């Protein structure tokens, strides 16, 4: 079987939906299958962060140059710093046949959809609003302000969720990892990703007929 | 978790792709999950065939009445007999939460797509044209006429295949059954099948905010 090009998967979810854990487990379970997209940022590295591992650390000038050279699939500014997704890294992983996971919030996800129509968008949610509430309200130690801002954010996230391709319920972590893996792997069987294979088959069938 | 409505899955494939075996194994492996659609036909039952199991056996008058009453999702005539898919049986299984499998050739599949835009279309293929050739040419005992008609049919099947949603390669039967099962189950996580769940979540989040 020919080596397929990887699939870019965008993962978003309510804060508290546990998507960080899901992604970590997915990569630990299938290290040869997946690559995590690495963001570029202009913020300073924290002591434990290494360039090219957690982030690509850039000066503001370098980052602006990347924007000008169309080297970012998407970017945004957040509390005074730039964050973006370098196209080259993602492209190299996809070409090598790796499925690339990109964890990003909803606005970024919609920009990826524009730039890469072939990407699939997954939204991870807790099993119920009650459960989401419990996760948002925390252990009762948060201020009302924090809770209110989380709720407002969750509501705006929920409003954009129908732009996603899949809704994945995170009830039991292992089940959720299994489901995310299944969804991405089955996407490789989508007809529009196999048109070359079909064309080859048709070609060979025609040779049989004319033989 | 609420009980989801079942999904109608149309399965086609090259003759010799082994789709009969795949379907049989799928139903044996997950008897509570799947139901096989039962066709109506005007041809006579064979000795071992039971009404309502292999087929719903109908007189030509009854069948024409079903057509007139729009009781068939699709129908066709084949060597002097009618064959069709009764809507009621499929609908009852889907409502009960069963995923319904409908094995049908490409013309029928396209009619199902029209009538049930929510259905998913799977096309099963041998791993290569060479392998397809071996299955089409058989053990060398078939007449040239038989082989030529099989080839021509395969070619016309291949021409319509890009209307399908998934291309499933049947190399090892168990792997293929596993893949078909995974594809159908993951389709339950498609966003457009979960809009009600999203609406409920939004509603409950709004209640949190206004509380």
């Amino acid at each position: 079987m020919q080596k397929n090009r990887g699939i870019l998967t965008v993962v978003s979810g309510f804060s508290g939906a546990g998507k960080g854990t899901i992604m970590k487990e997915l990569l630990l379970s299938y290290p040869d299958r997946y690559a995590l997209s690495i963001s570029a940022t202009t913020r300073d590295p924290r002591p434990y962060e290494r360039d090219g591992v957690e982030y690509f650390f850039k000066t503001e000038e370098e980052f602006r140059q990347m924007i000008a050279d169309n080297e970012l699939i998407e970017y945004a500014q957040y509390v005074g710093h730039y964050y973006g997704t370098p196209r080259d890294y993602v492209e190299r992983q996809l070409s090598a046949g790796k499925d690339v996971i990109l964890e990003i919030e909803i606005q970024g996800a919609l920009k990826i959809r524009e730039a890469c129509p072939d990407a699939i968008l997954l939204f991870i949610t807790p099993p119920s609003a009650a459960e989401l509430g419990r996760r948002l309200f925390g252990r009762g130690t948060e201020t009302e302000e924090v809770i209110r801002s989380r709720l407002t954010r969750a509501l705006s996230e929920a409003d954009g969720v129908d732009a996603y391709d899949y809704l994945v319920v995170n009830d039991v972590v292992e089940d959720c990892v299994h489901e995310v893996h299944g969804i991405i792997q089955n996407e490789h069987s989508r007809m529009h990703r196999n048109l070359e294979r079909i064309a080859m088959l048709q070609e060979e069938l025609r040779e049989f007929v004319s033989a």
Side-chain angles (χ1 to χ4, degrees), chain A:
Chain A
M1 207 163 122
Q2 84 215 63
K3 181 119 185 167
N4 281 331
R5 182 178 157 82
I7 294 175
L8 176 59
T9 300
V10 176
V11 178
S12 310
F14 294 121
S15 14
K19 58 183 184 300
T21 311
I22 303 296
M23 294 307 98
K24 211 174 77 184
E25 287 299 316
L26 184 70
L27 279 133
L28 277 172
S29 305
Y30 311 95
D32 298 334
R33 186 64 261 163
Y34 298 103
L36 207 58
S37 166
I38 302 172
S39 297
T41 183
T42 56
R43 79 154 166 75
D44 288 332
R46 291 174 191 142
Y48 58 88
E49 289 178 337
R50 294 146 296 172
D51 185 44
V53 180
E54 281 82 10
Y55 286 95
F56 295 112
F57 293 100
K58 302 287 174 188
T59 66
E60 205 159 304
E61 200 188 326
E62 286 171 335
F63 200 100
R64 290 216 177 105
Q65 194 58 51
M66 291 179 86
I67 298 174
D69 294 345
N70 194 27
E71 286 177 13
L72 298 167
I73 306 180
E74 60 75 42
Y75 69 93
Q77 256 185 317
Y78 182 69
V79 285
H81 292 295
Y82 279 116
Y83 293 81
T85 306
R87 189 186 307 280
D88 180 57
Y89 178 80
V90 168
E91 197 47 53
R92 271 187 289 122
Q93 299 291 335
L94 293 176
S95 298
K98 289 235 184 182
D99 294 323
V100 178
I101 309 288
L102 176 53
E103 202 188 318
I104 201 168
E105 39 56 74
I106 197 156
Q107 291 310 320
L110 298 181
K111 288 184 194 167
I112 301 280
R113 159 118 310 161
E114 285 283 300
C116 314
D118 223 31
I120 58 171
L121 272 56
L122 260 62
F123 195 89
I124 297 184
T125 179
S128 68
E131 179 58 30
L132 179 59
R134 271 191 290 280
R135 298 188 196 179
L136 290 172
F137 293 120
R139 302 183 207 102
T141 52
E142 282 85 350
T143 63
E144 201 182 320
E145 195 190 351
V146 167
I147 290 172
R148 195 151 287 273
S149 102
R150 281 187 193 163
L151 272 175
T152 310
R153 190 177 158 178
L155 201 54
S156 87
E157 285 168 338
D159 266 342
V161 76
D162 41 359
Y164 285 69
D165 298 306
Y166 292 94
L167 182 73
V168 182
V169 176
N170 182 16
D171 196 351
V172 178
V173 170
E174 304 89 82
D175 294 351
C176 186
V177 170
H178 183 75
E179 187 179 346
V180 169
H181 177 62
I183 286 173
I184 300 172
Q185 295 319 306
N186 285 328
E187 275 285 330
H188 282 282
S189 302
R190 282 243 150 212
M191 192 58 77
H192 68 91
R193 301 190 203 276
N194 288 278
L195 297 178
E196 222 171 292
R197 179 191 279 266
I198 294 294
M200 272 172 52
L201 208 61
Q202 285 171 329
E203 189 53 41
E204 286 180 66
L205 276 173
R206 267 184 218 106
E207 276 166 30
F208 283 147
V209 174
S210 60

